[in-house]
Amino acid sequence: MKIAVCIKRAPDSETRFKIAASGTAIDEAGVKFDISDFDSYAVEFALQTVEKAGGEVVVISVGPDAVQETLRKAMSMGAERGVQLKTDGAVYDGYAVASALAAELKGGNFDLVLFGKVAADTAAGTVGPMVAELLGLPCVTAAAKLEIANGRGTARRELEGAAELLEFPLPAVVSIDEGIARPRYPSLKGIMAAKKKPLENKPAQLGPQRVTVTRMELPPDRPPGRIVGQGKDAVPELVRLLQNEAKVI
């Protein structure tokens, strides 16, 4: 099988953020970046699939030169090669990114194109379905389980209080949900090997950018908590505060 995994460089979810002076981006000083969480699940699933069935995993990312580190990490996990679709900076328009990815994927003879369910930073979840539409391929989103056999795929999607089982022909586009595969840690051998693996650099063929970030701000600080007392004697005051101040009862 030939599998493409589209990955994104995103801030680590445990990083403390500051807004940059521009007011439209985060201050990257001291911020740790990594493969977006759901994308790492997609990489792991692709690797496990080709380990069983044979084939090749190609990782693709849109962005400035900083994404090369992200691609190299995926290659240290086991991907055979990487492709950077280069831009001058971050691109926030999902359709623009999807257009660049579709232009690269078209004609690549991929059996499966994988995405993470959502990116860790924007949480939009739009790029995968847009790529599927641009390529004219079937699309399944948020697959919690996925099986590939005999030119077809079977995916399980977890719904609120239920589950959905879908079958589809290959080639196809699938976005991967949490729990499908736990991403492996790159070994020292894998890290050294990744330095020698091919990483192509191409200008991104972005579509029209109709979405821009006009302002970015952190949520307000929570007010400090209050201790109203201890034991049963504190209950009347707690109820009064919940009724009159919090207005939740």
Side-chain angles (χ1 to χ4, degrees):
M1 289 192 67
K2 188 176 182 182
I3 304 176
V5 187
C6 301
I7 64 176
K8 185 176 184 181
R9 173 181 181 263
D12 186 283
S13 59
E14 297 182 0
T15 300
R16 294 183 65 86
F17 300 99
K18 294 181 180 179
I19 304 301
S22 65
T24 59
I26 66 169
D27 183 351
E28 295 191 6
V31 176
K32 179 184 176 182
F33 285 82
D34 205 342
I35 302 174
S36 183
D37 290 345
F38 288 100
D39 295 354
S40 67
Y41 307 145
V43 172
E44 180 61 32
F45 176 82
L47 294 174
Q48 291 182 14
T49 301
V50 300
E51 285 168 358
K52 295 175 183 176
E56 178 188 38
V57 175
V58 181
V59 286
I60 305 172
S61 188
V62 177
D65 287 341
V67 305
Q68 292 183 16
E69 180 182 1
T70 307
L71 290 166
R72 289 289 182 194
K73 180 174 181 179
M75 287 190 283
S76 71
M77 293 170 65
E80 280 73 20
R81 59 187 177 92
V83 179
Q84 175 197 3
L85 303 179
K86 187 172 181 177
T87 63
D88 293 331
V91 181
Y92 296 100
D93 189 297
Y95 179 75
V97 173
S99 298
L101 290 170
E104 173 63 24
L105 292 163
K106 187 176 182 180
N109 297 317
F110 291 102
D111 299 293
L112 193 61
V113 179
L114 300 179
F115 290 81
K117 180 178 73 169
V118 294
D121 49 2
T122 60
T126 59
V127 175
M130 287 182 182
V131 168
E133 177 66 21
L134 290 169
L135 295 177
L137 297 178
C139 179
V140 176
T141 59
K145 291 185 179 180
L146 181 60
E147 295 181 1
I148 304 296
N150 302 318
R152 298 187 66 83
T154 303
R156 178 185 173 94
R157 302 178 70 246
E158 300 295 338
L159 309 177
E160 188 171 349
E164 186 175 61
L165 196 65
L166 303 171
E167 294 185 356
F168 54 92
L170 300 183
V173 175
V174 181
S175 70
I176 300 299
D177 202 351
E178 184 176 8
I180 198 167
R182 186 176 183 86
R184 67 192 68 183
Y185 290 104
S187 65
L188 178 59
K189 181 180 179 181
I191 293 171
M192 299 304 294
K195 296 179 180 180
K196 299 179 181 179
K197 292 180 178 179
L199 199 166
E200 295 182 75
N201 182 298
K202 305 177 181 180
Q205 300 180 45
L206 296 170
Q209 297 188 52
R210 295 170 290 188
V211 175
T212 57
V213 175
T214 59
R215 182 180 178 185
M216 188 178 289
E217 60 185 25
L218 296 173
D221 292 332
R222 291 183 178 182
R226 281 185 287 171
I227 298 176
V228 298
Q230 295 182 354
K232 63 181 182 179
D233 294 337
V235 172
E237 177 64 6
L238 177 61
V239 172
R240 185 189 69 80
L241 292 172
L242 292 173
Q243 287 179 328
N244 300 332
E245 291 192 17
K247 300 185 184 302
V248 295
I249 61 173

Coordinates of all heavy atoms in Angstrom, one line a residue, residues 9 40 95:
R9 N 2.6 21.0 12.0 CA 3.4 21.4 13.1 C 2.6 22.3 14.0 O 2.0 23.3 13.6 CB 4.6 22.2 12.6 CG 5.5 22.9 13.7 CD 6.6 23.6 13.1 NE 7.5 24.3 14.0 CZ 7.4 25.6 14.4 NH1 6.4 26.3 13.9 NH2 8.2 26.1 15.2
S40 N -0.3 12.5 14.8 CA 0.6 11.4 15.2 C -0.1 10.0 15.2 O 0.5 9.0 14.9 CB 1.2 11.7 16.6 OG 0.3 11.7 17.6
Y95 N -9.1 26.1 3.2 CA -9.2 25.8 1.7 C -7.9 26.0 1.0 O -7.5 25.2 0.1 CB -10.3 26.6 1.1 CG -10.5 26.4 -0.4 CD1 -11.1 25.2 -0.8 CD2 -10.0 27.3 -1.3 CE1 -11.2 25.0 -2.2 CE2 -10.1 27.1 -2.7 CZ -10.7 25.9 -3.1 OH -10.8 25.7 -4.5

